[in-house]
């Protein structure tokens, strides 16, 4: 899915991400962020922890593949949180 489709789907489905904030326009080192952004023609899915600093979960060349992967990652977190 595209970035716009992802953002619409995230709003309509009300996915619970717990403490995490979702960022899709830039890479940040702010604490508790899950994000997807493009740098140098590569889409990077990343996460930050409580004390900040980011780590890359996955890099993909295609926007649609990146946001599909990112959505599935958030959905699995959502499912984990509602089962807890």
């Amino acid at each position: 899915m595209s970035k716009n489709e992802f953002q619409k789907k995230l709003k309509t489905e009300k996915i619970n991400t717990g403490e995490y904030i979702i960022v899709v326009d830039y890479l940040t080192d702010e604490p508790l962020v899950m994000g997807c952004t493009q740098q140098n023609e590569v889409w990077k899915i990343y996460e930050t922890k409580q004390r900040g600093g980011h780590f890359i979960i996955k890099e993909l060349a295609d926007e649609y593949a990146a946001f599909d992967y990112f959505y599935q990652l958030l959905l699995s977190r959502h499912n984990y949180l509602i089962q807890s």
Side-chain angles (χ1 to χ4, degrees):
M1 75 184 80
S2 70
K3 179 172 132 180
N4 289 336
E5 291 170 330
F6 170 81
Q7 289 174 314
K8 287 177 187 174
K9 199 169 189 175
L10 203 61
K11 281 183 186 177
T12 59
E13 294 186 12
K14 298 178 182 170
I15 293 180
N16 181 0
T17 59
E19 302 170 320
Y20 284 86
I21 297 168
I22 306 305
V23 174
V24 294
D25 293 323
Y26 55 91
L27 185 65
T28 182
D29 287 325
E30 292 295 320
L32 299 173
V33 171
M34 293 180 82
C36 182
T37 190
Q38 186 180 34
Q39 290 185 326
N40 301 322
E41 306 296 320
V42 175
W43 288 93
K44 298 181 179 194
I45 294 103
Y46 70 95
E47 182 177 339
T48 66
K49 293 294 181 186
Q50 278 187 323
R51 296 182 185 239
H54 71 272
F55 64 92
I56 304 298
I57 297 169
K58 190 162 185 95
E59 294 183 348
L60 296 158
D62 179 64
E63 174 185 1
Y64 289 82
F67 281 100
D68 284 343
Y69 183 89
F70 190 37
Y71 177 76
Q72 291 302 317
L73 183 68
L74 294 176
L75 192 58
S76 70
R77 178 163 178 76
H78 168 81
N79 290 337
Y80 173 77
L81 289 171
I82 62 171
Q83 290 175 1
S84 297

